[in-house]
């Protein structure tokens, strides 16, 4: 699906659309990278703590998990906001997801 053609009949420019689209893809890539590193680090910490029979190392996993979750959740929210902006300002009436409601004038 080529979404670069959705900028027609918009109040914004094609450059803005492409810039926001690129930022969404970059945020998604960063989120996936953070989660992959987090899972790898948690696997190492939990394996080490199980091998040494030391429960204090299991608590260290939470020190890693919470900041990674906050980063991933923040990137998700940024993606949702940018996607909503694109849907509102860069989608034509013909391609809008709520087209039936728009045509029927229902909320």
């Amino acid at each position: 699906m080529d979404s670069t053609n959705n900028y027609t009949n918009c109040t914004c420019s094609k450059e803005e659309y492409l810039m926001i689209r690129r930022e969404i893809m970059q945020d998604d890539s960063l989120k996936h990278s953070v989660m992959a590193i987090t899972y790898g680090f948690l696997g190492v910490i939990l394996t080490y703590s199980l091998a040494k029979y030391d429960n204090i190392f299991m608590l260290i996993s939470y020190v890693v998990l919470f900041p990674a979750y906050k980063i991933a959740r923040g990137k998700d929210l940024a993606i949702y906001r940018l996607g909503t902006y694109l849907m509102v300002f860069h989608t034509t009436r013909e391609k809008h997801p709520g087209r039936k409601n728009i045509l029927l004038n229902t909320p």
Side-chain angles (χ1 to χ4, degrees), residues 31-32 34-35 67-77 79:
K31 181 187 73 163
H32 287 294
V34 165
M35 294 312 295
Y69 173 76
K70 293 291 281 185
I71 292 170
R73 184 66 180 146
K75 291 300 175 187
D76 271 341
L77 290 176
I79 290 169

Side-chain angles (χ1 to χ4, degrees), residues 31-43:
K31 181 187 73 163
H32 287 294
S33 298
V34 165
M35 294 312 295
I37 291 169
T38 301
Y39 292 147
F41 193 69
L42 286 177

Side-chain angles (χ1 to χ4, degrees), residues 6-17 20 85-93:
N6 288 344
Y7 68 92
T8 56
N9 295 338
C10 298
T11 59
C12 304
S13 65
K14 179 180 179 182
E15 291 82 23
E16 181 186 19
Y17 173 80
I20 292 172
Y85 178 83
L86 284 180
M87 189 171 78
V88 169
F89 292 107
H90 289 277
T91 304
T92 61
R93 281 180 78 91

Side-chain angles (χ1 to χ4, degrees), residues 74-105:
K75 291 300 175 187
D76 271 341
L77 290 176
I79 290 169
Y80 299 155
R81 289 179 182 134
L82 289 170
T84 303
Y85 178 83
L86 284 180
M87 189 171 78
V88 169
F89 292 107
H90 289 277
T91 304
T92 61
R93 281 180 78 91
E94 291 80 26
K95 294 181 181 181
H96 196 276
R99 184 169 184 263
K100 287 183 183 179
N101 291 339
I102 292 171
L103 293 175
L104 295 174
N105 289 328

Side-chain angles (χ1 to χ4, degrees), residues 37-51 57 61:
I37 291 169
T38 301
Y39 292 147
F41 193 69
L42 286 177
V44 168
I45 288 175
L46 292 176
T47 303
Y48 180 77
S49 67
L50 290 175
F57 286 108
S61 64

